Amino acid sequence: MCRRGVSPDIARAIMRTNTTAIGAVMVHRGEADSLICGTFGEFGWHLNYVNQVLGRDGFRPHGALSMMILEDGPLFIADTQVNLHPTPEQIAEIAIGAARHVRRFGIEPKVALCSQSQFGNQGEGSGKRLRAALQILDAGNHDFVYEGEMNIDTALDPELRARLLPCNRMEGAANVLVFAHADAASGVRNILKMKGDGLEVGPILMGMGNRAHIVSPSITARGLLNVGAIAGTPVAHYG
């Protein structure tokens, strides 16, 4: 870090007092398999240290994915933390990463790009970026179902979707909701947790090879146990 304005004295102080930096360096040195942090402080603060240390190993965080366990099954929400205002390229990457992680749970992903706009009925706003992301996805060769942009209720209600968007290519209810704003994704996640009796598993920090996960200060002991189970999955089986 000497070329990033960090003097030896500052480095020593950080490595004596900053548990996130200590844990990230332990993972980098092979002294630990994974790091869980975030029970206090701001997500971006922890992400900065994780990214600076583990980025040297070729990892790059591209999104945070939360699994909400509800009465009728799991629902995945992204990106709740990492990209506050993601570009179309980032949205496409988030969708691909989310689909990959959902399969780790033995679930076939059905990804909906969610917005106030619906199949182009609003020219500007988040729908514009989601439509661009859809074009990026269409240009690739992907083995999961995705569709958008659409409202949340349209994504979750197949009958409503068939009536409003008869040319859509998704069957059944979406189980992955990808948003163009972290505010929207985080808000949906928190509403489901507080008012929908949803049990959150995560956030899962995508792109880090399962070497680091950053939770929120509101996480419970059970939530930490769930993230610990994810972190304990062998790296070879996680992305």
Side-chain angles (χ1 to χ4, degrees), residues 37-226:
C37 58
T39 55
F40 69 91
E42 200 270 327
F43 188 97
W45 182 84
H46 293 279
L47 184 64
N48 178 55
Y49 285 103
V50 167
N51 200 19
Q52 287 193 37
V53 177
L54 298 182
R56 296 176 177 271
D57 298 329
F59 297 101
R60 179 181 59 82
H62 61 251
L65 176 70
S66 288
M67 179 172 74
M68 307 304 300
I69 300 177
L70 307 171
E71 284 188 2
D72 59 350
L75 181 65
F76 295 82
I77 313 293
D79 167 19
T80 58
Q81 299 282 359
V82 176
N83 302 289
L84 300 183
H85 194 263
T87 64
E89 291 77 14
Q90 289 172 327
I91 293 169
E93 187 176 34
I94 290 164
I96 294 168
R100 184 177 69 249
H101 279 267
V102 167
R103 284 204 170 111
R104 310 295 183 190
F105 293 92
I107 300 170
E108 193 59 30
K110 295 181 181 180
V111 180
L113 306 182
C114 292
S115 169
Q116 185 181 14
S117 177
Q118 189 144 267
F119 270 32
N121 68 358
Q122 294 186 19
E124 297 300 322
S126 64
K128 185 176 182 179
R129 284 183 290 123
L130 290 171
R131 287 191 295 274
L134 189 71
Q135 291 179 349
I136 294 171
L137 290 170
D138 285 345
N141 184 21
H142 304 295
D143 61 350
F144 62 93
V145 176
Y146 58 89
E147 187 58 285
E149 84 284 13
M150 64 179 71
N151 299 165
I152 296 174
D153 55 353
T154 309
L156 298 178
D157 186 340
E159 293 183 2
L160 177 64
R161 188 169 64 251
R163 179 165 62 86
L164 298 180
L165 308 173
C167 63
N168 84 90
R169 54 193 174 189
M170 182 182 292
E171 294 183 4
N175 53 23
V176 184
L177 306 182
V178 173
F179 293 87
H181 290 283
D183 283 350
S186 182
V188 169
R189 157 187 166 254
N190 282 322
I191 289 172
L192 290 174
K193 183 168 60 175
M194 300 305 296
K195 291 297 186 179
D197 294 325
L199 173 64
E200 182 181 18
V201 178
I204 299 165
L205 190 57
M206 300 187 291
M208 298 305 292
N210 203 33
R211 286 169 170 80
H213 296 288
I214 304 172
V215 301
S216 64
S218 63
I219 195 166
T220 63
R222 183 179 180 182
L224 278 172
L225 180 63
N226 290 333

Side-chain angles (χ1 to χ4, degrees), residues 8-18:
D9 287 340
I10 292 175
R12 291 189 190 98
I14 290 173
M15 291 307 298
R16 283 196 299 265
T17 60
N18 188 316

